[in-house]
Amino acid sequence: MSLKTILQHFSNAKLSAKSRRRRAATAFATEQLEDRALLTPVVLDLASGAGSSNPDHFAEHNGQLYFVTNITGEGNDLYTTDGSTMSPRVGDFTTISVPAGSTTQTEPLISAGDFLYFYGSRPGETGVFRFDPLAGAANSSQFIVDETVYSQIGDLTAFQDRVFFSASRLTVGMETGNELFSVGNNGTVTLVQDIYDGVDFAADPPVEFSSD
């Protein structure tokens, strides 16, 4: 074997050893990662300790989420949140029953125009109420559709800043069967259309409204 061949073989062996050391170093190298923080879930704890606020009846109104709570000893109250922080109580619903899963409407709280509308009852009054969230808790809910005047109120649906609903008007001389009514910011109930003329109930009264 020539001297040139021996030197070439020795050089190749040194390069091979260096490559193995480089690969080994690379395999066990560590990399410094940037600082990372774990996300903390947002929890709105309205009832201290293990107590429950029983949030229910959610509705979006002017970019805020409104909902009704029922805390033992406090009754029903209306609160609002932007999704991360709580605002003080905005409505005292203590004397008002807001039925859950009511057949009168698809959602217990309905946003239309400047108000939140809902079907409910309090001593001596049953029908449609509305609440102005901007007025604060000092402003009691307004009773606007009396079920003794408009019976069988149903299917409350928001459309173009008004709430539409089906009902039978019982006012003497203005009686209707089950027809389509609406109410808006001025609080006046309007007969949209007496589809089935007279006081008899229509064979197919208006139901299942949609604003789509």
Side-chain angles (χ1 to χ4, degrees):
M1 180 181 296
S2 67
L3 178 60
K4 182 178 179 180
T5 302
I6 294 173
L7 292 175
Q8 184 65 44
H9 178 76
F10 180 74
S11 177
N12 291 340
K14 288 180 64 178
L15 289 174
S16 179
K18 185 181 294 185
S19 297
R20 286 196 298 270
R21 287 195 300 272
R22 187 182 295 114
R23 287 197 298 269
T26 302
F28 293 100
T30 59
E31 180 181 354
Q32 180 67 40
L33 298 177
E34 69 275 11
D35 292 335
R36 297 180 181 180
L38 295 177
L39 296 177
T40 302
V42 175
V43 178
L44 304 175
D45 192 358
L46 299 177
S48 60
S52 299
S53 62
N54 303 302
D56 202 353
H57 309 330
F58 299 96
E60 188 276 334
H61 180 74
N62 292 337
Q64 290 282 112
L65 179 66
Y66 290 82
F67 58 95
V68 177
T69 64
N70 187 294
I71 301 174
T72 301
E74 297 184 14
N76 293 331
D77 289 309
L78 182 68
Y79 283 87
T80 181
T81 177
D82 62 5
S84 60
T85 58
M86 282 298 303
S87 297
R89 185 187 71 177
V90 295
D92 183 357
F93 285 10
T94 303
T95 61
I96 301 177
S97 171
V98 184
S102 170
T103 57
T104 60
Q105 58 199 78
T106 56
E107 300 294 341
L109 292 178
I110 295 179
S111 170
D114 297 331
F115 298 90
L116 286 170
Y117 293 80
F118 58 94
Y119 179 91
S121 62
R122 62 187 176 195
E125 296 175 323
T126 297
V128 179
F129 294 79
R130 73 178 184 183
F131 184 84
D132 181 0
L134 298 180
N139 179 33
S140 61
S141 298
Q142 300 174 331
F143 183 53
I144 58 170
V145 185
D146 190 341
E147 200 164 60
T148 64
V149 179
Y150 296 89
S151 68
Q152 297 183 312
I153 298 169
D155 299 288
L156 276 69
T157 302
F159 180 62
Q160 294 183 346
D161 293 337
R162 299 183 67 82
V163 168
F164 290 75
F165 61 93
S166 61
S168 298
R169 187 168 58 194
L170 305 179
T171 306
V172 176
M174 301 176 63
E175 300 94 332
T176 67
N178 197 304
E179 296 293 353
L180 181 61
F181 295 85
S182 73
V183 60
N185 281 340
N186 62 7
T188 301
V189 178
T190 302
L191 173 64
V192 178
Q193 180 66 52
D194 192 351
I195 300 171
Y196 190 88
D197 193 25
V199 297
D200 293 332
F201 288 98
D204 296 302
V207 295
E208 300 181 2
F209 303 136
S210 174
S211 59
D212 293 340

